[in-house]
Amino acid sequence: MIQLSSSPHIASKIKTTHVMWAVVIALLPETVWGVILFGIPALLTICASVATAVASEWLFNKITKKRQSAGDGSAVITGLLLALVLPPTLPLWQTILGSFFAIIVAKQLFGGLGSNVWNPALTGRAFLVASFPAAMGASWISPLPDATSSATILSTLKQADAVTSATTTGAAIDYWQLFVGRQAGCIGESSILLILISALFLIGSRIVDWRTPVFMVGTFALLMFASGGDVLAHLLSGGLVFGAVFMATDYVTTPVTSYGRIVFGAGCGLLTFLIRKFGGYPEGVMFSILIMNSITPFLNKLTPRKYGYKKEGGAK
């Protein structure tokens, strides 16, 4: 999740707020498409998650007498990102609980914006997966107008126990439908096309560094290809691309250096591959990013950045 700290890259509070809302704008295509795909349940999930995140941040600041930050956009991003990585069938009270956990436990108790160790939205999702595993992954609904129970492509691949099985690849998979977003899954992860458009906007605006998402997806694709898996099916389904663009690029919980971001992205890709290929869980993006968040301080020390210096011949 993209959130900003008080690093030298952030010139002012105004710039920080502008960047936050730019990220919200980048998420709007996925948000609208999720509502189109899954209808009212998706809309209610999004509204409940965002409203809870903003209210939780405001209430915490009020009780602790801290400067109000509920309007800077960071809580909106957390609530929106959490909602977009949830199944549309999740009960609203669980969505509210997860959003509250993301803001209060994963963010505010660590000191607020810029001090959290783990991505707040993913931490909230991990809390829900641990607390309500059946609701978070036992059943999925296909896009409207069908709205019937449906397995995800990743679940089918995992159950087949062989990603090159004829029953799950080739003619059985409509890759174009996966690319545009006609598939069961979480609310905002379905359309790879829309996510790529958002990525171009964020990278072109220099809000996101291209290194982390490119090395995350690239490492995963290379390893899956080497293992004989259906690379395209894995890239076009699940939360890999969404996580690479919106979650692994969080300014606070990812390295500050270019080399560090490359290692971080490659590590996320490696862990996602290992979990999907050999683990008992069909996904892996959430766990891989949270694990790499934990070693971000080490990566920052391994590849330190010196501020106030330029190459020889340049001005200080």
Side-chain angles (χ1 to χ4, degrees):
M1 182 187 62
I2 306 165
Q3 290 188 331
L4 304 178
S5 67
S6 56
S7 72
H9 295 289
I10 312 307
S12 66
K13 176 184 174 183
I14 294 178
K15 182 178 179 181
T16 299
T17 302
H18 285 174
V19 170
M20 294 292 184
W21 290 108
V23 176
V24 173
I25 292 173
L27 285 165
L28 289 180
E30 291 81 3
T31 303
V32 173
W33 182 245
V35 174
I36 292 174
L37 280 183
F38 303 113
I40 297 299
L43 178 61
L44 293 177
T45 296
I46 293 167
C47 291
S49 182
V50 173
T52 301
V54 174
S56 298
E57 180 134 324
W58 181 88
L59 183 61
F60 183 90
N61 290 333
K62 186 74 173 177
I63 293 174
T64 58
K65 298 181 179 181
K66 292 177 59 179
R67 179 185 60 82
Q68 275 299 339
S69 57
D72 66 8
S74 62
V76 174
I77 294 176
T78 297
L80 187 54
L81 280 173
L82 175 61
L84 295 181
V85 294
L86 295 178
T89 55
L90 189 71
L92 286 182
W93 71 270
Q94 294 180 11
T95 298
I96 292 171
L97 188 59
S99 185
F100 177 84
F101 187 92
I103 292 294
I104 301 301
V105 178
K107 179 182 176 183
Q108 291 295 353
L109 292 184
F110 280 91
L113 181 61
S115 301
N116 50 284
V117 177
W118 297 282
N119 185 294
L122 283 183
T123 305
R125 189 182 194 279
F127 167 75
L128 291 174
V129 169
S131 303
F132 315 105
M136 285 294 292
S139 64
W140 303 87
I141 59 172
S142 58
L144 295 175
D146 298 332
T148 56
S149 295
S150 174
T152 64
I153 296 298
L154 289 183
S155 297
T156 303
L157 292 172
K158 178 61 70 175
Q159 290 170 3
D161 197 32
V163 294
T164 55
S165 170
T167 62
T168 59
T169 58
I173 293 181
D174 189 331
Y175 296 104
W176 174 252
Q177 290 297 313
L178 295 181
F179 179 67
V180 298
R182 294 282 302 178
Q183 57 176 313
C186 294
I187 294 172
E189 296 176 346
S190 299
S191 177
I192 305 303
L193 173 62
L194 293 179
I195 296 171
L196 290 179
I197 292 173
S198 296
L200 290 176
F201 167 71
L202 292 171
I203 293 173
S205 303
R206 297 192 176 182
I207 295 173
V208 159
D209 187 338
W210 62 269
R211 293 173 180 83
T212 298
V214 167
F215 275 86
M216 179 175 175
V217 174
T219 299
F220 174 86
L222 181 63
L223 292 172
M224 186 58 69
F225 175 78
S227 70
D230 188 334
V231 178
L232 200 54
H234 275 276
L235 291 178
L236 298 179
S237 56
L240 176 63
V241 180
F242 185 90
V245 172
F246 290 108
M247 301 291 195
T249 52
D250 178 3
Y251 286 5
V252 177
T253 59
T254 54
V256 298
T257 65
S258 298
Y259 290 122
R261 290 169 181 169
I262 290 173
V263 175
F264 184 93
C268 288
L270 169 63
L271 291 172
T272 301
F273 165 76
L274 292 175
I275 294 171
R276 285 193 183 184
K277 183 69 176 177
F278 304 108
Y281 194 66
E283 190 44 278
V285 175
M286 174 184 70
F287 297 114
S288 71
I289 295 176
L290 290 175
I291 291 171
M292 292 303 294
N293 285 163
S294 301
I295 67 171
T296 289
F298 170 75
L299 293 177
N300 283 333
K301 291 181 179 180
L302 191 65
T303 57
R305 166 179 287 172
K306 294 182 179 180
Y307 296 106
Y309 292 88
K310 292 203 172 186
K311 292 182 179 179
E312 187 177 353
K316 180 178 178 180

